[in-house]
mmCIF file with all atom_site columns, all heavy atoms in Angstrom:
data_model
loop_
_atom_site.group_PDB
_atom_site.id
_atom_site.type_symbol
_atom_site.label_atom_id
_atom_site.label_alt_id
_atom_site.label_comp_id
_atom_site.label_asym_id
_atom_site.label_entity_id
_atom_site.label_seq_id
_atom_site.pdbx_PDB_ins_code
_atom_site.Cartn_x
_atom_site.Cartn_y
_atom_site.Cartn_z
_atom_site.occupancy
_atom_site.B_iso_or_equiv
_atom_site.pdbx_formal_charge
_atom_site.auth_seq_id
_atom_site.auth_comp_id
_atom_site.auth_asym_id
_atom_site.auth_atom_id
_atom_site.pdbx_PDB_model_num
ATOM 1  N N   . PHE A 1 47 ? -10.251 -4.202  45.935 1.00 95.00 ? 170 PHE A N   1
ATOM 2  C CA  . PHE A 1 47 ? -10.526 -4.484  47.330 1.00 95.00 ? 170 PHE A CA  1
ATOM 3  C C   . PHE A 1 47 ? -11.162 -5.871  47.398 1.00 95.00 ? 170 PHE A C   1
ATOM 4  O O   . PHE A 1 47 ? -12.248 -6.085  46.829 1.00 95.00 ? 170 PHE A O   1
ATOM 5  C CB  . PHE A 1 47 ? -11.518 -3.438  47.911 1.00 95.00 ? 170 PHE A CB  1
ATOM 6  C CG  . PHE A 1 47 ? -10.910 -2.042  47.960 1.00 95.00 ? 170 PHE A CG  1
ATOM 7  C CD1 . PHE A 1 47 ? -11.132 -1.179  46.912 1.00 95.00 ? 170 PHE A CD1 1
ATOM 8  C CD2 . PHE A 1 47 ? -10.155 -1.656  49.067 1.00 95.00 ? 170 PHE A CD2 1
ATOM 9  C CE1 . PHE A 1 47 ? -10.563 0.134   46.929 1.00 95.00 ? 170 PHE A CE1 1
ATOM 10 C CE2 . PHE A 1 47 ? -9.586  -0.361  49.082 1.00 95.00 ? 170 PHE A CE2 1
ATOM 11 C CZ  . PHE A 1 47 ? -9.811  0.529   48.054 1.00 95.00 ? 170 PHE A CZ  1
ATOM 12 N N   . SER A 1 48 ? -10.511 -6.778  48.111 1.00 93.00 ? 171 SER A N   1
ATOM 13 C CA  . SER A 1 48 ? -11.014 -8.185  48.091 1.00 93.00 ? 171 SER A CA  1
ATOM 14 C C   . SER A 1 48 ? -12.364 -8.281  48.809 1.00 93.00 ? 171 SER A C   1
ATOM 15 O O   . SER A 1 48 ? -13.124 -9.190  48.524 1.00 93.00 ? 171 SER A O   1
ATOM 16 C CB  . SER A 1 48 ? -10.018 -9.088  48.791 1.00 93.00 ? 171 SER A CB  1
ATOM 17 O OG  . SER A 1 48 ? -9.740  -8.642  50.087 1.00 93.00 ? 171 SER A OG  1
ATOM 18 N N   . TRP A 1 49 ? -12.709 -7.294  49.675 1.00 91.00 ? 172 TRP A N   1
ATOM 19 C CA  . TRP A 1 49 ? -13.984 -7.376  50.363 1.00 91.00 ? 172 TRP A CA  1
ATOM 20 C C   . TRP A 1 49 ? -15.181 -6.906  49.496 1.00 91.00 ? 172 TRP A C   1
ATOM 21 O O   . TRP A 1 49 ? -16.306 -7.131  49.837 1.00 91.00 ? 172 TRP A O   1
ATOM 22 C CB  . TRP A 1 49 ? -13.976 -6.556  51.634 1.00 91.00 ? 172 TRP A CB  1
ATOM 23 C CG  . TRP A 1 49 ? -13.474 -5.146  51.498 1.00 91.00 ? 172 TRP A CG  1
ATOM 24 C CD1 . TRP A 1 49 ? -12.201 -4.711  51.763 1.00 91.00 ? 172 TRP A CD1 1
ATOM 25 C CD2 . TRP A 1 49 ? -14.195 -3.995  51.073 1.00 91.00 ? 172 TRP A CD2 1
ATOM 26 N NE1 . TRP A 1 49 ? -12.105 -3.363  51.543 1.00 91.00 ? 172 TRP A NE1 1
ATOM 27 C CE2 . TRP A 1 49 ? -13.312 -2.895  51.086 1.00 91.00 ? 172 TRP A CE2 1
ATOM 28 C CE3 . TRP A 1 49 ? -15.537 -3.790  50.657 1.00 91.00 ? 172 TRP A CE3 1
ATOM 29 C CZ2 . TRP A 1 49 ? -13.741 -1.601  50.698 1.00 91.00 ? 172 TRP A CZ2 1
ATOM 30 C CZ3 . TRP A 1 49 ? -15.911 -2.539  50.236 1.00 91.00 ? 172 TRP A CZ3 1
ATOM 31 C CH2 . TRP A 1 49 ? -15.012 -1.442  50.274 1.00 91.00 ? 172 TRP A CH2 1
ATOM 32 N N   . PHE A 1 50 ? -14.868 -6.277  48.355 1.00 94.00 ? 173 PHE A N   1
ATOM 33 C CA  . PHE A 1 50 ? -15.967 -5.783  47.522 1.00 94.00 ? 173 PHE A CA  1
ATOM 34 C C   . PHE A 1 50 ? -16.540 -6.932  46.706 1.00 94.00 ? 173 PHE A C   1
ATOM 35 O O   . PHE A 1 50 ? -15.863 -7.519  45.894 1.00 94.00 ? 173 PHE A O   1
ATOM 36 C CB  . PHE A 1 50 ? -15.512 -4.641  46.600 1.00 94.00 ? 173 PHE A CB  1
ATOM 37 C CG  . PHE A 1 50 ? -16.618 -4.155  45.684 1.00 94.00 ? 173 PHE A CG  1
ATOM 38 C CD1 . PHE A 1 50 ? -17.667 -3.414  46.183 1.00 94.00 ? 173 PHE A CD1 1
ATOM 39 C CD2 . PHE A 1 50 ? -16.649 -4.490  44.325 1.00 94.00 ? 173 PHE A CD2 1
ATOM 40 C CE1 . PHE A 1 50 ? -18.728 -3.006  45.375 1.00 94.00 ? 173 PHE A CE1 1
ATOM 41 C CE2 . PHE A 1 50 ? -17.670 -4.077  43.520 1.00 94.00 ? 173 PHE A CE2 1
ATOM 42 C CZ  . PHE A 1 50 ? -18.728 -3.338  44.040 1.00 94.00 ? 173 PHE A CZ  1
ATOM 43 N N   . THR A 1 51 ? -17.844 -7.204  46.933 1.00 92.00 ? 174 THR A N   1
ATOM 44 C CA  . THR A 1 51 ? -18.469 -8.332  46.239 1.00 92.00 ? 174 THR A CA  1
ATOM 45 C C   . THR A 1 51 ? -19.732 -7.902  45.457 1.00 92.00 ? 174 THR A C   1
ATOM 46 O O   . THR A 1 51 ? -20.554 -8.718  45.099 1.00 92.00 ? 174 THR A O   1
ATOM 47 C CB  . THR A 1 51 ? -18.871 -9.417  47.256 1.00 92.00 ? 174 THR A CB  1
ATOM 48 O OG1 . THR A 1 51 ? -19.677 -8.822  48.271 1.00 92.00 ? 174 THR A OG1 1
ATOM 49 C CG2 . THR A 1 51 ? -17.631 -10.051 47.884 1.00 92.00 ? 174 THR A CG2 1
ATOM 50 N N   . GLY A 1 52 ? -19.867 -6.577  45.230 1.00 92.00 ? 175 GLY A N   1
ATOM 51 C CA  . GLY A 1 52 ? -21.054 -6.045  44.568 1.00 92.00 ? 175 GLY A CA  1
ATOM 52 C C   . GLY A 1 52 ? -21.196 -6.597  43.149 1.00 92.00 ? 175 GLY A C   1
ATOM 53 O O   . GLY A 1 52 ? -20.210 -6.808  42.428 1.00 92.00 ? 175 GLY A O   1
ATOM 54 N N   . LYS A 1 53 ? -22.430 -6.862  42.781 1.00 95.00 ? 176 LYS A N   1
ATOM 55 C CA  . LYS A 1 53 ? -22.739 -7.383  41.401 1.00 95.00 ? 176 LYS A CA  1
ATOM 56 C C   . LYS A 1 53 ? -23.674 -6.394  40.757 1.00 95.00 ? 176 LYS A C   1
ATOM 57 O O   . LYS A 1 53 ? -24.673 -5.960  41.347 1.00 95.00 ? 176 LYS A O   1
ATOM 58 C CB  . LYS A 1 53 ? -23.401 -8.729  41.480 1.00 95.00 ? 176 LYS A CB  1
ATOM 59 C CG  . LYS A 1 53 ? -22.498 -9.864  42.013 1.00 95.00 ? 176 LYS A CG  1
ATOM 60 C CD  . LYS A 1 53 ? -21.612 -10.418 40.916 1.00 95.00 ? 176 LYS A CD  1
ATOM 61 C CE  . LYS A 1 53 ? -20.697 -11.513 41.430 1.00 95.00 ? 176 LYS A CE  1
ATOM 62 N NZ  . LYS A 1 53 ? -19.546 -11.045 42.192 1.00 95.00 ? 176 LYS A NZ  1
ATOM 63 N N   . SER A 1 75 ? -13.025 -8.326  41.408 1.00 96.00 ? 198 SER A N   1
ATOM 64 C CA  . SER A 1 75 ? -12.189 -7.948  42.555 1.00 96.00 ? 198 SER A CA  1
ATOM 65 C C   . SER A 1 75 ? -11.291 -9.106  42.895 1.00 96.00 ? 198 SER A C   1
ATOM 66 O O   . SER A 1 75 ? -11.602 -10.297 42.592 1.00 96.00 ? 198 SER A O   1
ATOM 67 C CB  . SER A 1 75 ? -13.070 -7.517  43.744 1.00 96.00 ? 198 SER A CB  1
ATOM 68 O OG  . SER A 1 75 ? -14.030 -8.507  44.019 1.00 96.00 ? 198 SER A OG  1
#
Side-chain angles (χ1 to χ4, degrees):
F170 295 93
S171 56
W172 51 261
F173 178 72
T174 55
K176 293 277 179 283
S198 51

